[in-house]
């Protein structure tokens, strides 16, 4: 039986460009900035729900967990309940995940949550679009000594109690079989998340969000090990050139391709 | 994957549906429309003159002119032999002066996205394409006043303005192709008229070239200016029959930093009306769009999108007879969000809506809009040819037009009975009409009736026309809310305008264009 835990995180709306703060050490947000669930986490939530639709008898529970303040995380937790997860958990912290808590500490908190919820499958986004580090799945696997199937494009439970995962790779696709307990990180192609139904959202508002205190002792924290020195905006260069005919266009194109290849 | 590529992955690809059909010439389809014999045909001397004022060879086209001769709907096809692409006001003035002297007829053309055959030639009129006359002239960041050339594409203007924290006051489905000059010429309406009003209010000044070549520089930037006749209003919606708009000065609103989109299912039309009143009461100052769609229109989009993007799911779990899309644009996210939530929750408690969803992020908002904006394209894919009517009606009577039209088509046995066969199977039936759908800007009392058919036919047309126009006229509506009259609706102008009104329009036309060279055979 699968007891699925989906860690979810609140990030700036993917269409918005984050503003770099004056100190150039991070980002600043205004009260009007729209935040939403990290899109890859949304895919993980959807996949857990799809698994339940397809393999009803295999799923014992689906829980989501967010780290941070209730104010910041209320919406993404409620939406998850409305979409159909069994339970939404908040680990209240003074600092907000992603900004003030290091990724290692975030994973250590998740490790405790997994222990307390007795989860045996973690479905999580392959990366958070605010930090793009893409290492949470790996660190969590290391801490728990659990196997990790990353960048999942298809997830299928097999008859022998294991899970078959098709993974996106640079050159194509690889298929792996993973034993449980384990961790799967989700890629874009896995599914398209559903919308939150208004009627279900109204019901979800009446359901509780569980609070789970997790304390990390000082010896477990790694604060200060990584310091952001500078954040800069990417420079986009656009060049425009006029060509006189198709032949010149083709030769310019092949020139550009070979010079880009050489540079890479 | 980086943020930017994530967006690209999610953005939809609404591509124009290309038809392989052979389109007959307009003059063959409408034999009673005759070429005005006063107009001269183009000869080599004319070409030589145009070459002298347009030195770039790309500015004068004499072959492969289908994209200029055929309209977006593939309904009309002219036989122009010459396309001129000026890039400055002086060039436009020289061209018009010459044409006026020589009695050469002209059609000004923007993005060629018009729906009434107003932007394409009927016979051999010269096409004056403003495509390459497309620079932003200036932007006043304090007053939000944009001054630009006519050929700039709406989406480019929108992107430019967004980078300055402003928006263009009009937004339309055709934003990727339509040009500001053409929007002025047709007085385009679109999706946000409810909030920002028509172009008649936003345009502060125009630079126009009259048919005799006179340049009227009225590029004013004053919101208040009571110093005589407001002649610029005549050019807004003149459909290129009075002169050519060569410069536009437009007041642009500040971009709202909090935009929300909700999509909901409704059980009947009276609930939609009640919901509209409630939206005005609860969301009044932030309401920026209230769009209505009937169930059949969404069935078409579902079918269309299942071919273009199979993984996309419909926003609601169930199907409903009607759908509403609401957009709010405000300045405070938390306030706007709680207003929207309260509005929707009370609307649900009062059973005005059956179910709904609020976009959780901009990608979902964009997706929800797609379900509304892709209706015209979807009608074209489901049927080969679409009859389009763009009607203003009192809100109470809006949907009865769609119901009456469906009833008529059923009585004449031209359409599969919608109650017995869902849309999925109707395209395989032998009936010529695939479906008649209604959608539109409910907040503006503007509904679009689209009838998807396998091909344009006199049989279907005679059932629809003049029935639709008579119906509209009987309810004191307008036969063209935002599409204009063009060539297609010219015979029906009397359904909306009195004899005296039409006479006054003719006098105005004669004053500006005594030789009638500007966009002949259209509007009047």
């Amino acid at each position: 039986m699968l007891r699925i835990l989906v860690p979810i995180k609140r990030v700036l709306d993917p269409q918005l460009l984050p503003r770099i703060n004056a100190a150039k050490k991070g980002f600043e947000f205004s009260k009007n900035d729209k935040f939403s669930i990290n899109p890859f986490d949304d895919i993980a939530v959807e996949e857990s729900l799809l698994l339940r639709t397809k393999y009803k008898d295999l799923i014992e529970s689906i829980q989501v967990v967010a780290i941070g303040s209730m104010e910041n995380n209320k919406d993404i937790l409620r939406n998850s309940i409305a979409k159909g997860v069994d339970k939404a958990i908040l680990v209240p912290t003074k600092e907000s995940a992603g900004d003030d808590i290091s990724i290692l500490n975030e994973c250590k908190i998740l490790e405790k949550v997994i222990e307390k919820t007795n989860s045996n499958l973690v479905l999580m986004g392959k990366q958070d679009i605010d930090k793009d580090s893409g290492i949470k799945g790996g660190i969590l696997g290391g801490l728990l000594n659990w196997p990790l199937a990353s960048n999942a494009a298809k997830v299928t439970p097999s008859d022998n109690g294991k899970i078959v995962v098709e993974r996106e790779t640079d050159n194509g696709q690889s298929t792996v079989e993973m034993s449980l307990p384990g961790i799967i990180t989700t890629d874009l192609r896995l599914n398209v998340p559903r919308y939150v139904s208004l009627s279900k959202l109204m019901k979800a508002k009446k359901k509780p969000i569980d609070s789970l205190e997790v304390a990390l002792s000082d010896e477990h924290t790694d604060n200060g090990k990584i310091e952001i020195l500078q954040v800069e905006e990417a420079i986009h260069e656009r060049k425009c050139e006029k060509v006189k005919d198709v032949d010149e266009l083709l030769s310019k194109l092949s020139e550009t391709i070979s010079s880009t290849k050489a540079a890479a | 994957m980086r943020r930017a590529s994530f967006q690209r992955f999610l953005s939809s690809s609404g591509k124009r549906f290309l038809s392989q059909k052979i389109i007959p010439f307009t003059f063959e389809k409408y034999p009673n429309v005759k070429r005005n014999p006063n107009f001269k045909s183009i000869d080599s001397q004319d070409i030589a003159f145009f070459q002298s004022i347009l030195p770039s060879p790309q500015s004068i086209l004499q072959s492969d002119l289908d994209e200029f001769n055929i309209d977006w709907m593939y309904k009309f096809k002219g036989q122009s032999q010459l396309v001129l692409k000026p890039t400055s006001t002086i060039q436009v003035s020289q061209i018009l002066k010459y044409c006026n002297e020589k009695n050469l007829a002209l059609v000004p053309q923007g993005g060629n996205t018009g729906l009434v055959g107003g932007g394409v030639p009927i016979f051999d009129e010269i096409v004056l394409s403003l495509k390459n006359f497309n620079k932003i002239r200036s932007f006043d960041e304090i007053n939000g006043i944009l001054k630009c050339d006519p050929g700039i594409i709406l989406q480019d203007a929108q992107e430019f303005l967004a980078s300055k924290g402003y928006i263009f006051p009009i937004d339309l489905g055709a934003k990727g192709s339509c040009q500001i000059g053409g929007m002025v010429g047709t007085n385009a309406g679109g999706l946000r008229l409810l909030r920002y009003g028509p172009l008649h209010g936003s345009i502060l000044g125009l630079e126009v070239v009259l048919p005799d070549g006179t340049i009227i520089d009225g590029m004013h930037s004053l919101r208040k200016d009571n110093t005589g006749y407001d002649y610029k209003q005549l050019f807004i919606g003149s459909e290129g029959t009075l002169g050519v708009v060569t410069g536009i000065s437009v007041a642009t609103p500040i971009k709202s930093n909090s935009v929300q989109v909700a999509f909901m299912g409704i059980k009947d039309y009276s609930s939609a009306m009640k919901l509209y009143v409630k939206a005005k009461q609860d969301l009044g100052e932030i309401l920026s769009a209230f769009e209505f769609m009937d169930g059949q229109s969404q069935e078409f989009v579902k079918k269309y999108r299942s071919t273009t993007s199979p993984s996309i799911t419909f926003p609601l779990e169930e199907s409903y007879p009607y759908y509403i899309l609401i957009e709010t644009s405000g300045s405070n996210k938390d306030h706007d969000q709680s207003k929207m939530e309260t509005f929707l929750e009370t609307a649900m408690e009062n059973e005005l809506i059956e179910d709904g969803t609020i976009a959780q992020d901009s990608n979902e908002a964009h997706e929800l809009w797609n379900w509304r904006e892709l209706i015209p394209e979807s009608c074209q894919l489901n049927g080969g040819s679409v009859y389009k009517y763009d009607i203003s009606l009192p809100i109470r009577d809006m949907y009865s037009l769609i119901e009456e039209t469906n009833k008529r088509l059923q009585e004449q046995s031209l359409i599969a009975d919608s109650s017995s066969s869902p849309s999925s199977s109707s395209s395989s039936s032998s009936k010529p009409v695939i479906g008649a759908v209604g959608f539109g800007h409910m907040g503006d009392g503007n509904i679009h009736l689209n009838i998807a058919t396998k091909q344009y036919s006199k049989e279907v047309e005679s059932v629809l026309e003049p029935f639709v126009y008579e119906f509209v006229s009987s309810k004191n509506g307008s036969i063209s809310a935002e599409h204009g009259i063009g060539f297609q609706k010219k015979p029906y102008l009397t359904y909306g305008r009195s004899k005296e009104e039409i006479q006054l329009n003719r006098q105005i036309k004669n004053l500006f264009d005594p030789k009638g060279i500007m966009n002949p055979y259209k509007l009047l």
Side-chain angles (χ1 to χ4, degrees):
Chain A
M1 291 294 277
L2 295 172
R3 292 176 299 278
I4 302 174
L5 182 74
V6 185
I8 57 176
K9 195 170 122 183
R10 186 188 87 129
V11 296
L12 185 66
D13 185 308
Q15 298 275 357
L16 298 177
L17 216 59
R19 282 182 305 279
I20 295 169
N21 63 19
K24 291 199 168 182
K25 302 244 172 188
F27 301 102
E28 59 182 13
F29 304 105
S30 80
K31 67 177 174 54
N32 273 319
D33 284 334
K34 200 169 173 67
F35 286 85
S36 52
I37 186 170
N38 174 37
F40 292 99
D41 297 349
D42 205 12
I43 293 170
V45 172
E46 180 68 26
E47 192 60 20
S48 69
L49 299 170
L50 291 175
L51 283 173
R52 168 131 74 196
T53 316
K54 281 184 232 159
Y55 309 98
K56 200 169 183 308
D57 300 336
L58 274 183
I59 312 291
E60 189 177 319
S61 64
I62 301 170
Q63 308 188 56
V64 294
V65 59
I67 302 168
S69 70
M70 181 61 96
E71 196 198 341
N72 283 350
N73 292 287
K74 189 177 64 199
D75 283 348
I76 60 170
L77 290 166
R78 283 239 168 86
N79 288 341
S80 302
I81 298 176
K83 284 182 175 190
V85 307
D86 303 318
K87 205 166 159 188
I89 302 166
L90 179 78
V91 178
T93 54
K94 279 195 218 80
E95 302 89 356
S96 55
D99 296 329
D100 312 310
I101 303 175
S102 73
I103 293 171
L104 181 57
N105 281 353
E106 210 183 319
C107 289
K108 284 178 176 169
I109 292 172
L110 290 178
E111 184 192 2
K112 303 229 163 165
V113 176
I114 289 161
E115 198 178 291
K116 289 190 184 177
T117 54
N118 193 24
S119 302
N120 59 4
L121 175 64
V122 177
L123 266 169
M124 61 200 294
K126 70 162 185 165
Q127 74 197 87
D128 302 337
I129 62 164
D130 54 355
K131 286 282 152 63
D132 278 339
S133 67
I135 52 174
K136 251 163 46 178
I139 293 181
L140 194 58
L143 289 172
L144 291 159
N145 199 21
W146 284 9
L148 163 72
S150 60
N151 305 357
K154 195 175 178 196
V155 175
T156 322
S158 56
D159 295 337
N160 56 8
K162 295 182 176 180
I163 293 189
V164 176
V165 177
E166 281 176 24
R167 305 176 54 244
E168 301 268 359
T169 70
D170 275 351
N171 319 327
Q173 184 167 301
S174 78
T175 306
V176 297
E177 193 178 56
M178 185 182 79
S179 60
L180 291 171
I183 299 167
I184 296 170
T185 66
T186 55
D187 214 329
L188 278 177
R189 197 157 62 88
L190 188 55
N191 61 50
V192 178
R194 68 193 65 189
Y195 291 86
V196 180
S197 141
L198 191 62
S199 49
K200 289 179 179 160
L201 187 63
M202 283 167 72
K203 282 184 202 131
K205 282 191 174 169
K206 298 192 181 102
K207 287 192 183 159
I209 292 171
D210 292 23
S211 203
L212 187 67
E213 300 278 348
V214 175
L216 295 181
S217 55
D218 286 346
E219 60 191 297
H220 284 115
T221 63
D222 70 329
N223 289 340
K225 280 191 185 163
I226 292 179
E227 188 194 349
I228 292 174
L229 298 179
Q230 198 171 331
V231 183
E232 273 179 78
E233 232 168 278
I235 300 161
H236 298 285
E237 263 186 75
R238 277 168 99 180
K239 238 166 80 181
C240 186
E241 232 178 298
K242 278 201 173 169
V243 290
K244 63 174 188 300
D245 52 28
V246 176
D247 289 341
E248 196 186 334
L249 174 72
L250 288 176
S251 74
K252 283 267 178 206
L253 280 175
S254 72
E255 250 173 61
T256 316
I257 291 166
S258 50
S259 68
T260 321
K261 264 188 186 164
Chain B
M1 188 179 295
R2 284 196 310 272
R3 197 173 280 264
S5 45
F6 186 77
Q7 285 168 22
R8 262 198 302 280
F9 176 83
L10 291 170
S11 74
S12 86
S13 56
K15 288 270 152 53
R16 181 174 165 177
F17 175 59
L18 285 170
S19 162
Q20 299 297 319
K21 267 181 282 187
I22 293 166
I23 303 129
F25 284 113
T26 309
F27 79 93
E28 293 168 344
K29 272 173 75 184
Y30 298 85
N32 52 340
V33 179
K34 301 276 185 257
R35 184 183 184 279
N36 182 340
N38 295 337
F39 295 143
K40 185 172 119 39
S41 298
I42 296 152
D43 58 34
S44 56
Q45 278 184 336
D46 300 326
I47 304 285
F49 173 80
F50 293 129
Q51 278 165 344
S52 75
I53 55 168
L54 301 172
S56 159
Q58 283 96 355
S59 298
I60 301 179
L61 307 179
Q62 291 181 268
S63 56
D64 292 333
L65 301 184
D66 273 2
E67 68 165 293
F68 302 94
N69 269 322
I70 302 172
D71 77 315
W72 187 88
M73 298 295 304
Y74 302 107
K75 250 187 135 170
F76 301 100
K77 182 178 184 181
Q79 26 173 204
S80 179
Q81 305 297 316
L82 180 65
V83 174
L84 301 176
K85 293 183 178 173
T87 55
S88 71
T89 307
I90 300 290
Q91 286 176 350
V92 173
S93 164
Q94 287 169 327
I95 293 168
L96 261 60
K97 185 166 187 279
Y98 181 83
C99 290
N100 200 44
E101 278 165 13
K102 301 282 178 187
N103 272 334
L104 286 162
L106 285 158
V107 185
Q109 190 178 83
N112 193 8
T113 59
L115 296 168
V116 289
V120 286
I122 305 301
F123 297 99
D124 58 346
E125 299 92 279
I126 298 170
V127 176
L128 187 75
S129 168
L130 283 311
K131 214 174 189 169
N132 293 349
F133 188 5
N134 58 3
K135 300 277 183 301
I136 284 168
R137 296 189 191 174
S138 67
F139 183 67
D140 174 342
E141 301 207 18
I142 307 255
N143 292 309
I145 296 167
L146 173 75
K147 293 188 179 180
C148 66
D149 292 344
I152 184 164
I153 288 174
L154 175 58
Q155 195 162 3
D156 293 340
Q158 286 175 335
E159 280 167 17
F160 169 82
L161 288 167
S163 72
K164 305 282 182 190
Y166 286 84
I167 60 166
F168 201 82
I170 302 277
D171 190 18
L172 337 160
K175 56 179 154 264
S177 314
C178 71
Q179 298 168 10
I180 309 280
M183 291 168 65
V184 172
T186 55
N187 187 20
L191 304 166
R192 307 237 156 84
L193 193 121
L194 177 67
R195 175 71 170 273
Y196 302 111
L199 277 174
H200 281 296
S202 305
I203 299 284
L204 301 179
L206 292 176
E207 177 189 82
V208 292
V209 176
L210 300 184
D212 66 2
T214 310
I215 299 170
I216 310 275
D217 178 4
M219 289 290 274
H220 304 294
S221 34
L222 305 168
R223 285 200 182 255
K224 302 177 78 170
D225 183 14
N226 273 358
T227 52
Y229 301 131
D230 193 2
Y231 65 87
K232 69 170 183 291
Q233 302 295 356
L234 288 174
F235 290 89
I236 302 169
S238 64
E239 303 189 19
T241 59
L242 299 182
V244 177
V245 172
T246 53
I248 297 113
S249 168
V250 57
T252 63
I254 289 272
K255 185 170 179 247
S256 295
N257 41 25
S258 148
V259 175
Q260 298 182 91
V261 180
F263 188 97
M264 55 220 86
I266 308 259
K267 63 177 182 298
D268 53 32
Y269 186 71
S270 81
S271 299
M273 282 193 287
K274 285 180 199 147
L275 191 70
Y276 175 53
V277 174
K278 187 173 163 55
K280 286 196 290 185
Q281 285 163 349
D282 294 4
L283 304 168
E285 72 286 1
I286 55 170
L287 187 64
S288 56
F290 191 100
E291 295 288 311
F292 168 86
M293 297 155 268
D294 67 10
Q296 179 73 63
S297 75
Q298 290 305 291
E299 292 307 317
F300 278 1
V301 184
K302 278 182 204 171
K303 201 172 150 198
Y304 176 47
R305 301 199 80 186
S306 69
T307 61
T308 57
S309 29
S311 57
I312 299 279
T313 50
F314 192 63
L316 306 178
E317 285 166 37
E318 317 242 333
S319 295
Y320 298 96
Y322 305 97
Y323 301 93
I324 298 286
L325 182 147
I326 290 178
E327 184 194 76
T328 64
S329 306
S331 56
N332 186 311
K333 188 192 66 165
D334 293 340
H335 292 184
D336 295 357
Q337 211 168 327
S338 87
K339 272 184 200 166
M340 179 69 116
E341 276 171 22
T342 313
F343 163 74
L344 288 172
E345 282 171 17
T346 48
M348 258 189 102
E349 280 158 14
N350 301 342
E351 295 181 355
L352 291 179
I353 60 181
E354 303 306 299
D355 202 359
T357 187
I358 307 179
Q360 300 303 315
D361 59 31
S362 315
N363 291 325
E364 276 192 19
H366 177 79
E367 261 307 310
L368 292 181
W369 264 116
N370 271 337
W371 289 96
R372 162 64 184 83
E373 290 191 320
L374 289 173
I375 297 172
E377 249 171 275
S378 306
C379 290
Q380 224 161 335
L381 183 83
N382 279 277
S385 311
V386 186
Y387 290 92
K388 285 173 181 272
Y389 300 94
D390 159 44
I391 304 296
S392 270
L393 279 174
I395 290 187
R396 196 173 303 283
D397 298 314
M398 242 172 85
Y399 200 70
S400 58
L401 171 67
I402 318 295
E403 289 166 338
E404 290 296 316
T405 305
N406 267 307
K407 211 168 102 193
R408 232 177 116 82
L409 290 166
Q410 269 158 30
E411 279 166 7
Q412 305 286 329
S413 201
L414 294 169
I415 187 173
D417 187 355
S418 58
S419 57
S420 64
S421 84
S423 67
S424 53
S425 64
S426 57
S427 59
S428 58
S429 101
S430 58
K431 310 281 165 108
V433 178
I434 295 164
V437 307
F439 59 97
H441 319 297
M442 188 157 177
D444 309 322
N446 177 194
I447 191 155
H448 297 296
L449 163 65
N450 277 16
I451 296 120
T453 64
K454 285 172 189 155
Q455 63 204 35
Y456 295 121
S457 75
K458 286 277 168 217
E459 189 192 14
V460 176
E461 197 173 313
S462 65
V463 173
L464 296 171
E465 296 176 15
F467 159 74
V468 171
Y469 301 124
E470 281 168 357
F471 181 93
V472 171
S473 183
S474 73
K475 306 278 183 196
N476 295 319
S478 166
I479 61 159
S480 192
E482 58 180 15
H483 291 174
I485 294 295
F487 180 76
Q488 188 193 344
K489 293 188 181 174
K490 186 180 158 186
Y492 306 105
L493 193 56
T494 50
Y495 284 100
R497 294 295 184 120
S498 69
K499 240 191 251 160
E500 293 76 15
E501 282 178 302
I502 294 173
Q503 185 53 33
L504 182 62
N505 274 314
R506 287 224 168 88
Q507 286 170 340
I508 292 169
K509 164 82 177 170
N510 288 338
L511 176 70
F512 283 90
D513 182 21
K515 290 188 165 181
I517 59 161
M518 294 305 303
N519 212 5
Y521 323 109
K522 321 275 173 62
L523 186 56
L524 285 167

